[in-house]
Amino acid sequence: MIESELVIELKNRSQHAFSVLVKTYQNMVFNTVLGIVQQFEEAEDVAQEVFIQVYQSIDGFRGDSKLSTWIYRISITKSLDFVRSKKAKKRFSLITNIIGFGDKEPTTMAEFHHPGISLDKKEAAVVLFKAISKLPENQKTAFILIKTEGLNYDNVAQILNISVKAVEGLMHRAKENLRKSLGDYYGNKN
Amino acid sequence: MKDIKKQIEIALASIEHIEKINAPDFFETRLLARMQNELIAEKNKFIQIKKPVWIIASLCILLFMNIYLVGSNKTKIVSKNRHEESATIQSFANDYQLDENTSNY
């Protein structure tokens, strides 16, 4: 089924078309979400929300961009929303604990072991993913799309709706911030 | 210092050639089940509103609001009439120069 046919069928609420959509894009969505969310179970929940959103908003898809670009945008928005709400919850539980109303210990973020990284690089990757999670949202998104999704600067520019030069700038600043963050980590460790 | 720089480069390189992973098994099945559950929950929300208890309660609220509005309008009209009446008496008294002193005669 070609893309335009798939979109028409999706707009007609065809269950078969939705099944084709999920089978085609589930790995792409899951990988993107996992890179940003950095938790396996939560990533599955967010990926499901992405497909629900696609199903609900397909009538608004005008075909100005590729379907994959549009799905990437939804995946990024949903993932960043999740991270934001998680940070807010963490902050709230910290405050309630300080005041004395909280009954739970504030949860600390668990180490993220990406299943796609070879065993010899696992330890270094854990430190890197922790540093990635501290990056500003747009730098984090550009870095994840290029490094884990393997997209080129042109694709990322289309997804983020910015120029290629701007993507280059984001990547440069992301690498700089990562170097600084990793430097602090290894400096304190040694 | 040199050691730290080396560790940073190793960490940055650890993400190169990362393997893409597949979505968890039965992802689609779980997704469809969730969508079905959410759809049913949404339907039930509407059914709740259509229950006779809710309909009667909403009608009662409307009825009380009407009674209140009619009541408050009536009070306003009565007080307005009273005000107009006293103004007429006063103007009559002024026309015939009837004041407190006159009434003594």
Side-chain angles (χ1 to χ4, degrees):
Chain A
M1 200 184 283
I2 59 166
E3 200 176 285
S4 55
E5 280 174 5
L6 181 67
V7 172
I8 292 166
E9 287 297 306
L10 283 170
K11 284 182 181 177
N12 290 332
R13 302 282 178 245
S14 153
Q15 203 169 342
H16 171 69
F18 188 69
S19 182
V20 172
L21 175 94
V22 175
K23 281 191 179 80
T24 312
Y25 295 106
Q26 60 179 1
N27 292 342
M28 178 193 99
V29 169
F30 187 71
N31 270 291
T32 310
V33 171
L34 185 66
I36 299 173
V37 168
Q38 298 191 6
Q39 271 166 334
F40 206 83
E41 285 79 17
E42 261 98 351
E44 187 182 348
D45 272 352
V46 177
Q48 285 178 358
E49 279 169 25
V50 171
F51 283 106
I52 293 171
Q53 181 75 58
V54 169
Y55 182 76
Q56 286 170 340
S57 333
I58 192 68
D59 292 325
F61 178 68
R62 295 189 305 270
D64 298 339
S65 59
K66 275 169 42 181
L67 187 61
S68 60
T69 306
W70 188 63
I71 296 174
Y72 263 127
R73 280 183 197 146
I74 296 174
S75 308
I76 292 160
T77 311
K78 286 276 173 196
S79 308
L80 292 176
D81 282 349
F82 174 83
V83 174
R84 258 179 245 135
S85 83
K86 204 171 175 201
K87 272 184 188 167
K89 270 182 203 162
K90 201 174 153 190
R91 229 174 288 141
F92 181 73
S93 83
L94 195 75
I95 291 166
T96 50
N97 271 302
I98 290 168
I99 299 169
F101 289 116
D103 51 350
K104 275 191 272 180
E105 283 287 305
T107 48
T108 47
M109 197 161 162
E111 284 182 349
F112 173 55
H113 296 271
H114 196 291
I117 286 176
S118 56
L119 209 61
D120 56 319
K121 294 175 182 169
K122 280 237 185 260
E123 207 182 317
V126 168
V127 182
L128 180 65
F129 271 109
K130 201 172 180 182
I132 292 171
S133 71
K134 289 174 191 163
L135 286 176
E137 285 181 353
N138 48 4
Q139 292 175 25
K140 188 196 298 181
T141 308
F143 193 84
I144 291 290
L145 289 178
I146 288 167
K147 293 290 179 182
T148 68
E149 273 299 289
L151 299 180
N152 58 35
Y153 283 40
D154 221 28
N155 292 145
V156 177
Q158 276 173 24
I159 292 164
L160 300 182
N161 218 4
I162 53 176
S163 66
V164 176
K165 278 257 175 252
V167 178
E168 284 170 4
L170 283 177
M171 278 304 279
H172 178 73
R173 285 200 297 280
K175 279 177 190 167
E176 249 178 22
N177 285 333
L178 286 175
R179 281 210 167 85
K180 195 170 171 281
S181 190
L182 291 168
D184 290 344
Y185 174 81
Y186 287 119
N188 288 334
K189 200 183 166 197
N190 294 338
Chain B
M1 189 68 188
K2 206 178 171 185
D3 195 39
I4 291 174
K5 268 189 179 171
K6 199 181 163 192
Q7 280 175 313
I8 292 170
E9 291 313 314
I10 291 170
L12 283 172
S14 67
I15 207 171
E16 303 286 344
H17 311 296
I18 189 170
E19 230 176 84
K20 282 192 183 176
I21 53 160
N22 293 334
D25 294 337
F26 309 111
F27 176 82
E28 193 189 343
T29 316
R30 278 197 291 270
L31 169 66
L32 291 176
R34 182 177 168 178
M35 285 175 83
Q36 207 132 25
N37 283 342
E38 283 184 9
L39 211 70
I40 290 165
E42 199 69 27
K43 241 184 200 173
N44 283 347
K45 221 190 270 173
F46 191 65
I47 288 166
Q48 287 269 329
I49 298 166
K50 277 165 62 182
K51 273 185 179 174
V53 181
W54 286 104
I55 295 168
I56 292 166
S58 341
L59 285 175
C60 283
I61 290 168
L62 276 174
L63 187 71
F64 281 121
M65 275 172 72
N66 273 323
I67 291 168
Y68 174 75
L69 285 173
V70 168
S72 66
N73 264 348
K74 244 186 194 171
T75 328
K76 264 186 203 166
I77 291 165
V78 168
S79 68
K80 200 183 165 190
N81 284 348
R82 260 188 209 153
H83 183 74
E84 277 173 4
E85 206 173 287
S86 67
T88 322
I89 292 167
Q90 190 61 46
S91 69
F92 179 80
N94 288 343
D95 285 348
Y96 289 91
Q97 292 169 340
L98 296 170
D99 54 14
E100 279 177 13
N101 299 331
T102 332
S103 65
N104 288 337
Y105 293 107

Short mmCIF file of all heavy atoms in Angstrom, two decimals, chain A residues 9-43:
data_model
loop_
_atom_site.label_atom_id
_atom_site.label_comp_id
_atom_site.label_asym_id
_atom_site.label_seq_id
_atom_site.Cartn_x
_atom_site.Cartn_y
_atom_site.Cartn_z
N GLU A 9 -7.11 5.60 3.42
CA GLU A 9 -7.75 4.49 4.14
C GLU A 9 -7.85 4.79 5.65
O GLU A 9 -8.84 4.46 6.28
CB GLU A 9 -6.98 3.18 3.92
CG GLU A 9 -7.15 2.59 2.53
CD GLU A 9 -8.59 2.18 2.25
OE1 GLU A 9 -9.14 1.42 3.06
OE2 GLU A 9 -9.16 2.66 1.25
N LEU A 10 -6.79 5.42 6.16
CA LEU A 10 -6.80 5.77 7.59
C LEU A 10 -7.89 6.80 7.88
O LEU A 10 -8.55 6.74 8.92
CB LEU A 10 -5.44 6.34 8.01
CG LEU A 10 -4.31 5.33 8.23
CD1 LEU A 10 -2.98 6.05 8.39
CD2 LEU A 10 -4.58 4.45 9.44
N LYS A 11 -8.06 7.74 6.95
CA LYS A 11 -9.10 8.76 7.12
C LYS A 11 -10.48 8.13 7.07
O LYS A 11 -11.44 8.65 7.64
CB LYS A 11 -8.95 9.86 6.07
CG LYS A 11 -7.80 10.80 6.38
CD LYS A 11 -7.67 11.92 5.39
CE LYS A 11 -6.49 12.81 5.77
NZ LYS A 11 -6.23 13.88 4.84
N ASN A 12 -10.58 6.99 6.35
CA ASN A 12 -11.85 6.25 6.29
C ASN A 12 -12.01 5.30 7.46
O ASN A 12 -12.92 4.48 7.49
CB ASN A 12 -11.96 5.46 4.98
CG ASN A 12 -12.12 6.37 3.79
OD1 ASN A 12 -12.66 7.47 3.92
ND2 ASN A 12 -11.66 5.93 2.64
N ARG A 13 -11.07 5.40 8.44
CA ARG A 13 -11.08 4.57 9.65
C ARG A 13 -11.01 3.07 9.35
O ARG A 13 -11.70 2.27 9.99
CB ARG A 13 -12.33 4.87 10.51
CG ARG A 13 -12.45 6.32 10.92
CD ARG A 13 -11.52 6.63 12.08
NE ARG A 13 -11.58 8.02 12.48
CZ ARG A 13 -10.56 8.86 12.37
NH1 ARG A 13 -9.42 8.46 11.87
NH2 ARG A 13 -10.66 10.10 12.77
N SER A 14 -10.19 2.72 8.37
CA SER A 14 -10.02 1.31 8.04
C SER A 14 -9.11 0.64 9.07
O SER A 14 -8.00 1.13 9.33
CB SER A 14 -9.41 1.17 6.64
OG SER A 14 -8.68 -0.01 6.53
N GLN A 15 -9.60 -0.48 9.62
CA GLN A 15 -8.83 -1.18 10.65
C GLN A 15 -7.58 -1.82 10.02
O GLN A 15 -6.52 -1.86 10.65
CB GLN A 15 -9.69 -2.25 11.30
CG GLN A 15 -9.19 -2.61 12.68
CD GLN A 15 -10.17 -3.47 13.45
OE1 GLN A 15 -11.35 -3.53 13.11
NE2 GLN A 15 -9.69 -4.14 14.47
N HIS A 16 -7.73 -2.28 8.78
CA HIS A 16 -6.59 -2.90 8.08
C HIS A 16 -5.48 -1.86 7.87
O HIS A 16 -4.30 -2.15 8.09
CB HIS A 16 -7.06 -3.48 6.75
CG HIS A 16 -5.94 -3.94 5.87
ND1 HIS A 16 -5.17 -5.04 6.21
CD2 HIS A 16 -5.43 -3.44 4.72
CE1 HIS A 16 -4.24 -5.19 5.27
NE2 HIS A 16 -4.37 -4.24 4.37
N ALA A 17 -5.89 -0.65 7.47
CA ALA A 17 -4.90 0.41 7.24
C ALA A 17 -4.17 0.76 8.53
O ALA A 17 -2.96 1.00 8.53
CB ALA A 17 -5.58 1.65 6.67
N PHE A 18 -4.93 0.79 9.64
CA PHE A 18 -4.31 1.11 10.93
C PHE A 18 -3.30 0.04 11.31
O PHE A 18 -2.22 0.33 11.83
CB PHE A 18 -5.38 1.27 12.01
CG PHE A 18 -4.83 1.78 13.31
CD1 PHE A 18 -4.36 3.08 13.43
CD2 PHE A 18 -4.74 0.94 14.42
CE1 PHE A 18 -3.82 3.54 14.62
CE2 PHE A 18 -4.21 1.40 15.60
CZ PHE A 18 -3.75 2.69 15.71
N SER A 19 -3.66 -1.21 11.03
CA SER A 19 -2.76 -2.32 11.33
C SER A 19 -1.47 -2.21 10.49
O SER A 19 -0.37 -2.43 11.01
CB SER A 19 -3.48 -3.63 11.03
OG SER A 19 -2.68 -4.71 11.32
N VAL A 20 -1.62 -1.83 9.22
CA VAL A 20 -0.45 -1.63 8.34
C VAL A 20 0.42 -0.50 8.88
O VAL A 20 1.65 -0.61 8.94
CB VAL A 20 -0.90 -1.33 6.88
CG1 VAL A 20 0.28 -0.93 6.01
CG2 VAL A 20 -1.62 -2.52 6.28
N LEU A 21 -0.23 0.58 9.30
CA LEU A 21 0.48 1.73 9.85
C LEU A 21 1.32 1.33 11.08
O LEU A 21 2.50 1.67 11.18
CB LEU A 21 -0.52 2.83 10.24
CG LEU A 21 0.08 4.04 10.94
CD1 LEU A 21 0.38 5.14 9.93
CD2 LEU A 21 -0.84 4.60 12.01
N VAL A 22 0.68 0.59 11.99
CA VAL A 22 1.38 0.18 13.22
C VAL A 22 2.56 -0.71 12.87
O VAL A 22 3.67 -0.51 13.38
CB VAL A 22 0.40 -0.53 14.20
CG1 VAL A 22 1.15 -1.07 15.41
CG2 VAL A 22 -0.69 0.43 14.65
N LYS A 23 2.33 -1.69 11.98
CA LYS A 23 3.41 -2.61 11.62
C LYS A 23 4.57 -1.87 10.94
O LYS A 23 5.73 -2.19 11.15
CB LYS A 23 2.87 -3.69 10.67
CG LYS A 23 2.12 -4.77 11.42
CD LYS A 23 1.83 -5.95 10.54
CE LYS A 23 1.09 -7.03 11.32
NZ LYS A 23 -0.34 -6.77 11.46
N THR A 24 4.26 -0.87 10.13
CA THR A 24 5.30 -0.14 9.39
C THR A 24 6.12 0.76 10.31
O THR A 24 7.33 0.86 10.15
CB THR A 24 4.65 0.73 8.28
OG1 THR A 24 3.72 -0.08 7.56
CG2 THR A 24 5.68 1.29 7.33
N TYR A 25 5.44 1.44 11.23
CA TYR A 25 6.13 2.50 11.99
C TYR A 25 6.40 2.17 13.45
O TYR A 25 6.97 3.01 14.15
CB TYR A 25 5.32 3.80 11.90
CG TYR A 25 5.26 4.35 10.49
CD1 TYR A 25 4.10 4.27 9.73
CD2 TYR A 25 6.38 4.95 9.90
CE1 TYR A 25 4.06 4.77 8.42
CE2 TYR A 25 6.34 5.44 8.61
CZ TYR A 25 5.17 5.35 7.88
OH TYR A 25 5.13 5.84 6.59
N GLN A 26 5.99 1.00 13.95
CA GLN A 26 6.13 0.73 15.39
C GLN A 26 7.60 0.77 15.86
O GLN A 26 7.89 1.33 16.93
CB GLN A 26 5.47 -0.58 15.80
CG GLN A 26 5.99 -1.82 15.13
CD GLN A 26 5.27 -3.08 15.62
OE1 GLN A 26 4.37 -3.01 16.43
NE2 GLN A 26 5.67 -4.22 15.09
N ASN A 27 8.51 0.22 15.07
CA ASN A 27 9.92 0.22 15.50
C ASN A 27 10.50 1.63 15.49
O ASN A 27 11.24 2.01 16.40
CB ASN A 27 10.75 -0.70 14.60
CG ASN A 27 10.37 -2.15 14.78
OD1 ASN A 27 9.74 -2.51 15.78
ND2 ASN A 27 10.70 -2.98 13.81
N MET A 28 10.17 2.39 14.46
CA MET A 28 10.65 3.77 14.34
C MET A 28 10.17 4.60 15.54
O MET A 28 10.96 5.30 16.19
CB MET A 28 10.12 4.37 13.03
CG MET A 28 10.50 5.80 12.80
SD MET A 28 9.52 6.51 11.45
CE MET A 28 8.27 7.38 12.37
N VAL A 29 8.87 4.48 15.83
CA VAL A 29 8.29 5.25 16.94
C VAL A 29 8.90 4.80 18.27
O VAL A 29 9.34 5.63 19.07
CB VAL A 29 6.74 5.08 16.97
CG1 VAL A 29 6.15 5.65 18.25
CG2 VAL A 29 6.12 5.74 15.76
N PHE A 30 8.99 3.48 18.46
CA PHE A 30 9.49 2.97 19.74
C PHE A 30 10.94 3.40 19.98
O PHE A 30 11.30 3.81 21.08
CB PHE A 30 9.36 1.45 19.78
CG PHE A 30 9.69 0.88 21.13
CD1 PHE A 30 8.84 1.08 22.21
CD2 PHE A 30 10.86 0.18 21.34
CE1 PHE A 30 9.15 0.59 23.47
CE2 PHE A 30 11.18 -0.32 22.59
CZ PHE A 30 10.33 -0.12 23.65
N ASN A 31 11.77 3.32 18.94
CA ASN A 31 13.18 3.71 19.08
C ASN A 31 13.33 5.19 19.43
O ASN A 31 14.13 5.56 20.29
CB ASN A 31 13.93 3.43 17.78
CG ASN A 31 14.51 2.04 17.77
OD1 ASN A 31 15.44 1.75 18.52
ND2 ASN A 31 13.95 1.16 16.96
N THR A 32 12.56 6.03 18.75
CA THR A 32 12.62 7.48 19.00
C THR A 32 12.18 7.80 20.43
O THR A 32 12.86 8.53 21.15
CB THR A 32 11.71 8.24 18.01
OG1 THR A 32 12.00 7.79 16.71
CG2 THR A 32 11.89 9.73 18.09
N VAL A 33 11.04 7.21 20.80
CA VAL A 33 10.50 7.47 22.14
C VAL A 33 11.47 6.96 23.21
O VAL A 33 11.74 7.66 24.19
CB VAL A 33 9.10 6.80 22.28
CG1 VAL A 33 8.62 6.85 23.72
CG2 VAL A 33 8.09 7.46 21.37
N LEU A 34 12.02 5.77 23.00
CA LEU A 34 12.93 5.19 23.98
C LEU A 34 14.17 6.07 24.20
O LEU A 34 14.62 6.23 25.33
CB LEU A 34 13.35 3.78 23.53
CG LEU A 34 14.21 2.99 24.52
CD1 LEU A 34 13.42 2.65 25.78
CD2 LEU A 34 14.73 1.70 23.89
N GLY A 35 14.67 6.65 23.13
CA GLY A 35 15.84 7.52 23.23
C GLY A 35 15.59 8.73 24.11
O GLY A 35 16.48 9.17 24.85
N ILE A 36 14.37 9.26 24.05
CA ILE A 36 14.06 10.47 24.83
C ILE A 36 13.58 10.11 26.24
O ILE A 36 14.01 10.69 27.23
CB ILE A 36 13.01 11.34 24.09
CG1 ILE A 36 13.57 11.80 22.74
CG2 ILE A 36 12.62 12.56 24.93
CD1 ILE A 36 12.60 12.52 21.84
N VAL A 37 12.68 9.13 26.31
CA VAL A 37 12.08 8.76 27.60
C VAL A 37 13.07 7.99 28.49
O VAL A 37 13.06 8.14 29.72
CB VAL A 37 10.78 7.95 27.36
CG1 VAL A 37 10.27 7.29 28.62
CG2 VAL A 37 9.70 8.84 26.76
N GLN A 38 13.88 7.16 27.87
CA GLN A 38 14.93 6.38 28.55
C GLN A 38 14.41 5.41 29.61
O GLN A 38 15.05 5.20 30.63
CB GLN A 38 15.97 7.32 29.17
CG GLN A 38 16.70 8.16 28.13
CD GLN A 38 17.90 8.88 28.68
OE1 GLN A 38 18.28 8.70 29.82
NE2 GLN A 38 18.52 9.69 27.85
N GLN A 39 13.23 4.87 29.39
CA GLN A 39 12.70 3.80 30.24
C GLN A 39 11.86 2.88 29.37
O GLN A 39 10.98 3.37 28.64
CB GLN A 39 11.84 4.38 31.36
CG GLN A 39 12.65 4.71 32.58
CD GLN A 39 11.91 5.57 33.54
OE1 GLN A 39 11.00 6.32 33.16
NE2 GLN A 39 12.29 5.51 34.79
N PHE A 40 12.12 1.58 29.46
CA PHE A 40 11.54 0.65 28.51
C PHE A 40 10.00 0.57 28.61
O PHE A 40 9.31 0.73 27.60
CB PHE A 40 12.15 -0.75 28.73
CG PHE A 40 12.13 -1.60 27.50
CD1 PHE A 40 13.13 -1.48 26.53
CD2 PHE A 40 11.11 -2.50 27.29
CE1 PHE A 40 13.10 -2.26 25.39
CE2 PHE A 40 11.08 -3.28 26.14
CZ PHE A 40 12.08 -3.17 25.20
N GLU A 41 9.49 0.35 29.83
CA GLU A 41 8.03 0.17 30.00
C GLU A 41 7.28 1.46 29.65
O GLU A 41 6.26 1.43 28.97
CB GLU A 41 7.66 -0.26 31.44
CG GLU A 41 7.98 -1.70 31.76
CD GLU A 41 9.44 -1.92 32.06
OE1 GLU A 41 10.16 -0.92 32.32
OE2 GLU A 41 9.90 -3.08 32.00
N GLU A 42 7.84 2.58 30.13
CA GLU A 42 7.19 3.87 29.87
C GLU A 42 7.22 4.19 28.38
O GLU A 42 6.29 4.76 27.85
CB GLU A 42 7.86 4.99 30.67
CG GLU A 42 7.14 5.35 31.94
CD GLU A 42 7.75 4.69 33.15
OE1 GLU A 42 8.62 3.81 32.93
OE2 GLU A 42 7.37 5.01 34.28
N ALA A 43 8.31 3.79 27.73
CA ALA A 43 8.44 4.06 26.29
C ALA A 43 7.33 3.35 25.51
O ALA A 43 6.81 3.89 24.54
CB ALA A 43 9.81 3.61 25.80
#
